[in-house]
Amino acid sequence: TPLGIAVIGTGRMGADHIRRLHTVTNGARVAAVADLDPDRAAHAAHGIDGCTAHTDPAAAMAAPGVDAVLVASPGPAHEAALTAAFARGLPVLCEKPLTPDAASALRVVEAEARLGRRLVQVGFMRRYDTGYLRLKELLDSGAHGRTLMLHHRHRNPATPPGFTDAMLINDSVVHEIDVTRWLLGEEITAVHVLRPTPSGAAPAGLGDPQLVLFETTGGQICDTELFQNCGFGYQVACEAVGERGTARTGDDHGLLVNADGRWGGTITPGYVERFADAYDRQVQRWVDATRRGTVEGPSCWDGYAAAAACEAGVRAQTTGARAAVELAGRPGLYR
Ligand code: ISE
């Protein structure tokens, strides 16, 4: 029987995951949905056989046929949803960020450690993108020697209304933080943020673009160009510089067209399109592992370590100074 999933939050990512679970993923069905807005919940459940609509996440998790939970509500709502899932012993795929700050992320880590088994996979989907997977394989092979630097590029066409400077770190740079930790197998020890004069296209009060630097336990320096109102499309890329070679992923041109004396192609409009394959693979792997009774992929520890680095990032943003990352001890469950 397919895995019955309660989807919490039916906004941009939640709606996309509902579509994916319903039409792409094998061995899964959307059994319940929850959204604070009852009309949006009802709309999301519409046309899915046996799917019930709720406003309370805990009620959706208690609905008939629910075996697992996909949390896609905004970050500040994650801790409560995870607590409700833990109370029912339900496996969870939790969209990033795990929670919006390090203290709450650590509470989640401690609660899961008390359960004595992993229930959560964090939705750092770049780890399932073909290009990033190949880059990871290459770095792990040692073919280029030690990795010395990573250059990340992260551009969005526009920020959603209400996006803040802190969200530039917590919602966007959090991906570079996770990818850096994962590619290098190192922790981030400090963050610096440099702020050029904002683009005229940046909403008032938002310091966009920014240049964010990480120092790691392995002594690497990694930079991220974050440009969230570039207007022209969505671009995420990463270049690794090793002792004997470099490798770059993310500037895939898809289809390269020659016509009318020009060559060129198109840029993906947003992350839903750019990472469609990664999201599909991430969700399928989560469903498969859950049906086998196992938990894989990025853990609550990864979510916490990312939150701790984000917290340093937000501090560096406001003070303009280098901010050290403070990490708690790693519980045995995550070693
Ligand atoms: C968004 O929340 C995401 O997770 C996207 O992957 C990222 O590119 C974007 O900047 C975030 O706002």
Side-chain angles (χ1 to χ4, degrees):
T1 57
L3 188 74
I5 297 166
V7 178
I8 311 304
T10 63
R12 183 166 180 188
M13 274 322 295
D16 192 49
H17 282 313
I18 291 167
R19 172 199 61 77
R20 169 173 297 106
L21 289 166
H22 190 52
T23 64
V24 180
T25 313
N26 291 313
R29 56 178 281 266
V30 183
V33 300
D35 200 289
L36 285 179
D37 174 348
D39 293 337
R40 201 156 73 163
H43 180 75
H46 182 75
I48 304 178
D49 251 10
C51 177
T52 53
H54 309 260
T55 49
D56 174 19
M61 294 180 206
V66 170
D67 308 305
V69 183
L70 195 162
V71 176
S73 46
H78 288 187
E79 186 181 6
L82 290 165
T83 304
F86 288 176
R88 307 192 77 87
L90 293 171
V92 186
L93 175 60
C94 181
E95 267 299 340
K96 47 57 59 177
L98 178 63
T99 66
D101 60 86
S104 54
L106 188 58
R107 285 197 295 273
V108 171
V109 160
E110 286 166 349
E112 194 184 41
R114 273 196 301 278
L115 293 173
R117 64 191 172 108
R118 278 190 59 190
L119 281 179
V120 180
Q121 172 176 335
V122 181
F124 286 125
M125 79 298 184
R126 289 195 196 170
R127 297 192 188 198
Y128 296 88
D129 172 72
T130 314
Y132 277 97
L133 283 165
R134 285 169 123 184
L135 183 58
K136 166 91 173 137
E137 213 175 288
L138 178 67
L139 300 189
D140 286 352
S141 77
H144 290 174
R146 254 185 334 108
T147 304
L148 308 171
M149 293 187 283
L150 297 174
H151 302 299
H152 299 286
R153 197 164 64 213
H154 188 164
R155 299 179 183 144
N156 276 247
T159 42
F163 218 75
T164 62
D165 264 358
M167 289 168 81
L168 291 176
I169 303 286
N170 293 333
D171 289 72
S172 301
V173 178
V174 70
H175 286 290
E176 276 72 29
I177 289 171
D178 181 65
V179 158
T180 297
R181 296 180 62 252
W182 174 67
L183 284 178
L184 301 178
E186 306 282 353
E187 289 297 353
I188 292 170
T189 52
V191 184
H192 308 243
V193 178
L194 297 173
R195 312 176 55 135
T197 302
S199 158
L206 196 72
D208 185 34
Q210 298 190 8
L211 184 68
V212 183
L213 302 184
F214 311 135
E215 299 173 27
T216 69
T217 41
Q220 294 102 342
I221 304 278
C222 306
D223 60 272
T224 300
E225 174 209 302
L226 186 70
F227 188 14
Q228 299 297 79
N229 291 275
C230 75
F232 55 75
Y234 185 79
Q235 288 181 326
V236 164
C238 175
E239 181 172 37
V241 179
E243 294 168 302
R244 291 187 296 278
T246 76
R248 189 163 75 200
T249 182
D251 22 36
D252 319 320
H253 300 298
L255 197 64
L256 187 65
V257 176
N258 298 300
D260 300 325
R262 297 168 157 272
W263 59 263
T266 54
I267 305 173
T268 48
Y271 49 88
V272 165
E273 297 81 4
R274 161 69 170 85
F275 286 111
D277 290 349
Y279 288 122
D280 286 354
R281 199 170 294 113
Q282 166 189 252
V283 170
Q284 187 65 63
R285 295 274 299 269
W286 173 66
V287 165
D288 292 347
T290 304
R291 292 178 87 200
R292 286 196 306 271
T294 60
V295 181
E296 297 171 357
S299 68
C300 282
W301 177 260
D302 295 311
Y304 161 70
C310 284
E311 206 160 282
V314 173
R315 227 179 319 128
Q317 240 181 1
T318 43
T319 62
R322 170 186 188 276
V325 178
E326 320 275 356
L327 269 193
R330 192 193 283 236
L333 182 61
Y334 309 104
R335 277 189 207 124

